[in-house]
Amino acid sequence: GAVVSQHPSWVICKSGTSVKIECRSLDFQATTMFWYRQFPKQSLMLMATSNEGSKATYEQGVEKDKFLINHASLTLSTLTVTSAHPEDSSFYICSASNSLTYEQYFGPGTRLTVT
Amino acid sequence: GDSVTQMEGPVTLSEEAFLTINCTYTATGYPSLFWYVQYPGEGLQLLLKATKADDKGSNKGFEATYRKETTSFHLEKGSVQVSDSAVYFCALILNTGTASKLTFGTGTRLQVTL
């Protein structure tokens, strides 16, 4: 149990286009999900906290108009990278917090490459 | 603010060697502590956790003890295997009764050779 999926697992897009990444909790409800970004050989940087039915809370320095987060249901949060540029290339990881136990479970990550 | 400090890597060991990865923390409250492992190209997996002082988390031969007096949560394994090669992250969370964010250390890369 406690599986979190991400889709796609990898994506290549051209500069200026938008990319949507999905994070799903498959066997539990998650009122809160977290989006992280990881650069090569570095730690995870929290980008935003996504709450079902309300606006996401962004960390300082993260552009909310560039990284759009939608958490429309208790099992799905999406991150849309708008007008992507090569510097947005990174590994994006989500985690979902079980609404009952608050245990967090991580997705397998999505590797985004912007050309 | 809250923070986690890990020893820098990479740590290179021969198979069956003893492993220690140091982790210390600072926190305004009383945190729960975690070790996560990340294999190449994958997301994070919870390795073990401890929620209060003197608790020992253990899993797959790895152990870590929550030491409040030294604010530490060092990861140990008696005999590492090549398959343990990965990046290990120490992390803390406050307010475990709610959906709170994790604070991660910088990660320590472990390389185990034959």
Side-chain angles (χ1 to χ4, degrees), chain A residues 32 34 36 38 41-44 46 49 59 91 93 95 97 101-104 106-109 111, chain B residues 34 36 38 41-46 49 89 93 96-102 104-107 109:
Chain A
T32 302
F34 301 90
Y36 296 86
Q38 185 179 34
K41 299 185 179 181
Q42 293 190 24
S43 189
L44 284 76
L46 179 66
T49 303
E59 296 297 302
F91 194 52
I93 302 176
S95 73
S97 176
T101 66
Y102 304 116
E103 294 273 353
Q104 285 192 39
F106 284 81
R111 181 158 306 282
Chain B
F34 303 82
Y36 285 87
Q38 184 179 32
E42 299 183 11
L44 271 68
Q45 301 176 27
L46 178 64
K49 67 178 182 181
F89 292 94
I93 194 169
T96 52
T98 60
S100 300
K101 63 181 182 181
L102 284 156
F104 286 94
T106 53
R109 183 175 300 275

Side-chain angles (χ1 to χ4, degrees), chain A:
Chain A
V3 177
V4 176
S5 69
Q6 280 185 242
H7 179 80
S9 55
W10 60 270
V11 56
I12 301 172
C13 70
K14 292 188 176 181
S15 194
T17 62
S18 295
V19 174
K20 180 185 286 188
I21 302 170
E22 294 185 346
C23 177
R24 292 181 184 273
S25 56
L26 299 185
D27 49 5
F28 64 96
Q29 293 185 333
T31 306
T32 302
M33 293 185 178
F34 301 90
W35 286 96
Y36 296 86
R37 182 173 180 178
Q38 185 179 34
F39 294 98
K41 299 185 179 181
Q42 293 190 24
S43 189
L44 284 76
M45 180 192 79
L46 179 66
M47 299 175 65
T49 303
S50 168
N51 295 296
E52 186 267 337
S54 64
K55 290 184 178 181
T57 302
Y58 290 82
E59 296 297 302
Q60 191 173 10
V62 178
E63 299 176 61
K64 61 181 181 181
D65 294 331
K66 180 168 186 61
F67 298 100
L68 301 179
I69 291 172
N70 183 276
H71 194 154
S73 78
L74 287 172
T75 59
L76 173 65
S77 175
T78 60
L79 168 68
T80 301
V81 183
T82 62
S83 186
H85 288 95
E87 57 265 32
D88 298 326
S89 298
S90 194
F91 194 52
Y92 293 87
I93 302 176
C94 72
S95 73
S97 176
N98 186 306
S99 298
L100 296 178
T101 66
Y102 304 116
E103 294 273 353
Q104 285 192 39
Y105 303 93
F106 284 81
T110 297
R111 181 158 306 282
L112 169 64
T113 302
V114 184
T115 61

